[in-house]
Amino acid sequence: MSFGPPSSRPAVLLTALLSAPAVADDLFVDTQAVPQVLTATRLKQSPAAVPGSMTVLDSTLIRASGARDVPELLRLVPGMMIGYGAANQPTVNYHGSNVNDARRMQVLIDGRSVYRAGLATVDWSDIPLAMEDIERIEVFRGPNTVSYGANALMAVVNILTRKPADSHGTRLKVTRGQRGINDWYASQGTGWEDGDLRLSLSGMQDDGFDEDRHGNDYRDSRRLNRLNLSVSHALASNQSLDWQLAVKEGSNQRPYTYQPVFYGVTENGDNSDANAKNYAGSVRWNIDLNPEHSLYVQGTTQHWERKQVWRACDAALSFSPQLTRLWQLDPNYAEQVARNILAPLPPASPEKYALASEAQQQWRNDGSEQVCGDIDQSTRETRMDLELQDTLSLSDSLRLVSGVNYRYDRADSQTFFNGSLDDSTWRLFGHLEWRASEHWILQGGAMFEDARLSGSSLTPRVAVNYLITPRHGLRAVYSEAVRSPDMFENNVNWSYQVNNLSPAAFGQNSARYFVRTRGPGDLDQEHMRSRELGYNGYFADADISVDLKLFYDEITGMISEPLRNNQYIASNSNKARFSGTEAQMDWHLSLADRFRLTYAHVDAWASNAADRQMSAHNSGSAGWLRNWGRGWSSALFYYGDDALNQYRFERVDLRVARQITWDRTQLELAGMLQQRLDDEPTSNVDNYYDSRHVLYFSAELTF
């Protein structure tokens, strides 16, 4: 596949529509239901009426892709850059950013955010949700702070699960394959007079990458188990109660990256693995006051635990009170002295020079002795969220959605925060849709947000949609968005407490390293201004859906410094620009064949080179789904990026499946082959596989 726009046939059809306004007016008499999306504005809208670009990954596409996790599935979204940092950890960015820190995209599961405010990340490997429980994924490709608050700076991924009413019966699935792939899934759904329930259990395991740049074995396997419970209950003819419970536990191996300040070796087989537990729950009360007025109240709570403990060694001087004081006065000078502990001391003030001299003398005495101790880098994060949303049709042409939200976040870590840190956030939001005429839709919305740690913001969005027909629309959108500095970036208090020191250092069995990092505490929000022109259309005769987008986005006040305990000095001094085009086409050629194409051309510039790492100039995907009859089906996909962190990525995926039916029982046997077409690392110099292909098989029984 060459990187270029999709077929020009939709453009020809669009030209014909524009040149025949009388025919277009007649087409407003539409007897078929128009599909609807929800994520863009919190209002149900047709794709042609949305104030922005949308991608919907439906259940058929999700199954056909053979993807084992959500990041792999998001390769089907134009402009989405999928990479892997160290240790088999997926990173997902829209249009691009730092390869290791994906901080600027909101991710939701049925409206519940899984963005971790404490450490500024989405932990994709630990999302407590099985792929088999997903009904569809709606991706709003653009800033959407207006609807979802800070952190929805560049895109919103809303994962929508299957309704319990659609999950009756038993479903069992196992997947086995190369690279240690060992997945399983089991669910049971049932219903009663006023309600429905689905309980699912699932597990996932693989060995990650095979080797690093030096050919050494890569310690990055992952293992997890999950439990999900979803219940829907009708309280009355106009009221329902939905609640969910999710639990996840597992372990993620980590390559040993600890670097002693002076010298030292690890004592436990390079084991700095992370053991993780996640808990989440939500309750939503839906009320339809009348056909034109509805509201809901939703409460959610989440808890993340990461236990990461290892034993490390360094020179006793690492715990010197004098060296610690010197670091507090001048980190650059302290590091220079530590790295060249026996060299002549650089010129400095009398106080700093005296402290450095004492540190040198300590080294000559017993400060060079190796001591070993336990390092605890465990973290706990908790979130509670309460939201009220009101949806009102003021007239046949005017709709309003509005609401209020309160969120409480708390992070606990002796390493990163020297204890605990909390934050509270209030939000007020609203979006107004006015259908000024049969063809014109005017939309406007705003979000006011006030956070105790990062201050307040007001972000607006205005859009004009011109409907050529109900299924064909042009759009022009201007929006602003913000991203609040998270707890780690703004308020980090990073130091390592080392326990069980052997032998004792300066008479201490427990002490802190002299290196300590403090956040600035006064960071401002990142700010984006976005402009978009686009077209969305559905050609019923050809059964083709098309979306085209031109964009120009500017981000100012960016916080781009890497999160590391070595003179981490965060600032708002960076900025970036992203401009280009995107296209997607979904063509149901017949009942048996479906073709899908996506393409993105992104011109990225950033003042900090790290923010250009995950911006492929050209990227895209192509897919062909085929039903061969007699229970046989196949799906062929191509994914390509010309440069992710300077490395090319091209892969072809082939899935072949056979479905066998006995009465109400179905058995599906499927094989999946992924073949890399390049021989480069996967977005990181240490991410290598021994083989360019991987093969795995699945068997699924439903009854």
Side-chain angles (χ1 to χ4, degrees), residues 290-307:
N290 56 58
E292 287 77 37
H293 192 189
S294 64
L295 59 85
Y296 74 73
V297 180
Q298 178 170 287
T300 66
T301 182
Q302 299 182 83
H303 183 72
W304 298 269
E305 288 187 14
R306 300 292 181 274
K307 186 175 182 180

Side-chain angles (χ1 to χ4, degrees), residues 464-500:
V464 178
N465 293 70
Y466 178 76
L467 297 184
I468 306 165
T469 78
R471 299 181 184 272
H472 296 270
L474 303 173
R475 62 181 179 269
V477 186
Y478 172 81
S479 61
E480 296 184 9
V482 298
R483 187 185 77 86
S484 299
D486 288 293
M487 296 180 185
F488 187 101
E489 297 166 306
N490 206 16
N491 304 98
V492 65
N493 186 358
W494 192 349
S495 62
Y496 284 103
Q497 179 75 29
V498 184
N499 300 314
N500 302 318

Side-chain angles (χ1 to χ4, degrees), residues 400-452:
L400 171 68
V401 59
S402 58
V404 59
N405 175 279
Y406 172 77
R407 192 180 78 193
Y408 173 81
D409 288 295
R410 178 187 174 95
D412 295 271
S413 174
Q414 289 298 320
T415 296
F416 297 127
F417 302 111
N418 193 27
S420 63
L421 184 69
D422 61 0
D423 192 15
S424 57
T425 305
W426 284 95
R427 294 170 175 164
L428 293 171
F429 60 88
H431 179 87
L432 185 67
E433 177 197 79
W434 177 35
R435 292 184 174 262
S437 70
E438 199 173 45
H439 293 280
W440 291 98
I441 302 176
L442 305 180
Q443 303 184 65
M447 167 81 76
F448 174 78
E449 184 168 352
D450 182 72
R452 184 172 55 82

Side-chain angles (χ1 to χ4, degrees), residues 356-371:
S357 298
E358 288 187 63
Q360 277 193 333
Q361 187 59 43
Q362 288 170 336
W363 178 267
R364 294 187 181 98
N365 294 335
D366 55 4
S368 61
E369 180 181 12
Q370 178 175 284
V371 297

Side-chain angles (χ1 to χ4, degrees), residues 381-392:
E381 295 182 54
T382 301
R383 168 175 295 169
M384 291 179 286
D385 193 291
L386 181 64
E387 182 171 278
L388 168 66
Q389 177 179 304
D390 183 273
T391 304
L392 176 64

